[in-house]
Amino acid sequence: MIRRPSSPAAAGIIAGLIAFAVNAATVIVPAIAAHTADSRTSLSLLDAIMVALSFFALGNGGAIHLTVTGMTGPVTISPVGLTVVFFAVLAFTMRSRARLIEFTRADGGLHPGAIAGLGVIIGAFAAAYTVATMVTMMLITSADVRVTTIPTTLAALVLSLVAGAVGTMASLKRPADGGIPAVGMLALVPHPFDAIIRAIGATVLLLLGLGALLTTVMLAVASPSVMEMFTGLKPGPFGGAVLILAQLLVLPSLIVWAMVVLLGGTVLTGIGTGISLGGATVGVLPVLPVLAALPQPGVFPRWMLALMILPVIAVGMGAVLLARETRPLADEPPLDGREIAVIWGGFVGGLFCVLMLLAAFSGGAIGADQLSELGPKLSSLALPLLGIIVLGAGSVAVWELMGLGQRTADATQRLRDRVDASERTDED
């Protein structure tokens, strides 16, 4: 039987330590299993655990420094798939522990002092996770790998704070029950900022969906090369399973890179390389079969630039969602200039920052040589991204300012009413 924590601080500390243990086990257990199954390895069990903890640091958004033969220098690129797993564990653990404390009343409102309690539980959660991560990183004593403790600690702090806030807000969500209204995940966020966050989230998911679609097409086209490289490595049954897992962790990074290309940016795969809608120059890459899906060097057809219309449509769909949720009701006054500026400026600025941060997080370096430049080139992305967002959101904003959005909604509602009335007449 689980004992309820006596305070938000205790709940946050327990949740942080549980999340740390699960995330650490996520990388350590496969490393131990791979070491045990591979009789050819020259690494000791302790060395295998040190390597796993290095990936733990990278998964949290940190950095390591290599001093191995053939590759020396910092490694700052994060396996986005592993970071997503860590984030999900953090958020789910926080949600589960926060629900043990009743922050909301039976009528759906917050208890007195609930806001302070939410701040305490999130702070304690992030502090416990960050301290545990920092202490563990200081224990890595490998001669070939050194974790840069301060950047890794700061990255773990940011990751745990964001995931903790998401998990806490998810713990407040309640369905409608009789006369008690439903409590949404963004119940603590005032209007219209909740609508802006939802619209940004929906737009980012649509854009990532486009990136996933493009990645799927590239994998399908390059599947013979991918399978040839996989079989050429001769990993064996267990090694094959580990290799597949490693590729799944890299796949989200490729999805983000594909999204960046669709947004008009350039993705670097090493010094002097670049992949964009105009063409590709690919350098020497790590021997990972999934990377064989990257396009072959050459100039692409000019019609490939037309694919940039897809992100414009995705941004427009997110803007339509924002317009629907912020449109005044019939008995409410129209939006003034300040409210319009806050709504649309917040959407454009917020979406731009989120996508730039996502692109920046998916890049980095592996060593100080050819692979020291990997991932999206932010300077090539900023201008086309801003243009796509302004075009997609601006079109919808102008439509709304002209009153056409409200007229369309009214016409649609009248049509629904006529259809409902016709169906009732037929039933009678």
Side-chain angles (χ1 to χ4, degrees), residues 257 266-275 281 285 373-377:
W257 292 4
T266 299
V267 173
L268 305 177
T269 57
I271 296 177
T273 65
I275 301 174
T281 304
L285 294 170
E373 295 180 357
L374 290 174
K377 185 179 180 181

Side-chain angles (χ1 to χ4, degrees), residues 394-417:
S395 302
V396 177
V398 170
W399 180 270
E400 285 293 314
L401 291 176
M402 294 175 63
L404 298 177
Q406 186 62 54
R407 294 178 191 175
T408 303
D410 293 341
T412 303
Q413 187 60 46
R414 287 195 296 269
L415 179 61
R416 288 175 178 173
D417 292 341

